Amino acid sequence: YTVEFTLDFSRMKKMGVPEKVTPKEIKLISNGGEAVLSLDPATPRTKIKLKEDSWYSAEVWGSIYEKENCLIALTAPLYTKGETI
């Protein structure tokens, strides 16, 4: 399967938030907090085989107001039930 992550900061612009958020890494996290994939936000599309009966979520890491290694965003988890996808 192909997974693709889309980063959209347009809502922040509409709210008047200064453009001081810089995404640097997208991580796919599995059970127990293990990073199973790391992507550059400039190329957020890849193929990966996900394990059955596992939880996954994505995290976006980068800088905020020049402070490095900040968690910028995360997704709700998804569960792969009964089959490898």
Side-chain angles (χ1 to χ4, degrees), residues 19-78:
E19 294 183 24
K20 299 289 186 176
V21 177
T22 305
K24 297 189 176 178
E25 180 180 26
I26 301 170
K27 294 180 184 180
L28 186 62
I29 309 296
S30 71
N31 298 358
E34 176 189 357
V36 296
L37 178 69
S38 177
L39 294 171
D40 182 328
T43 54
R45 185 179 183 143
T46 191
K47 290 186 178 191
I48 184 171
K49 191 170 192 173
L50 302 176
K51 295 179 185 177
E52 62 184 43
D53 298 320
S54 296
W55 288 97
Y56 292 92
S57 63
E59 299 176 346
V60 179
W61 289 83
S63 63
I64 300 174
Y65 290 96
E66 300 178 12
K67 182 178 178 185
E68 296 294 327
N69 300 315
C70 297
L71 178 61
I72 297 171
L74 61 121
T75 65
L78 66 90

Side-chain angles (χ1 to χ4, degrees), residues 3-31:
V3 294
E4 184 171 358
F5 300 95
T6 302
L7 304 178
D8 180 7
F9 291 98
S10 63
R11 286 183 55 198
M12 291 177 63
K13 289 179 187 176
K14 289 176 186 175
M15 295 183 326
V17 176
E19 294 183 24
K20 299 289 186 176
V21 177
T22 305
K24 297 189 176 178
E25 180 180 26
I26 301 170
K27 294 180 184 180
L28 186 62
I29 309 296
S30 71
N31 298 358

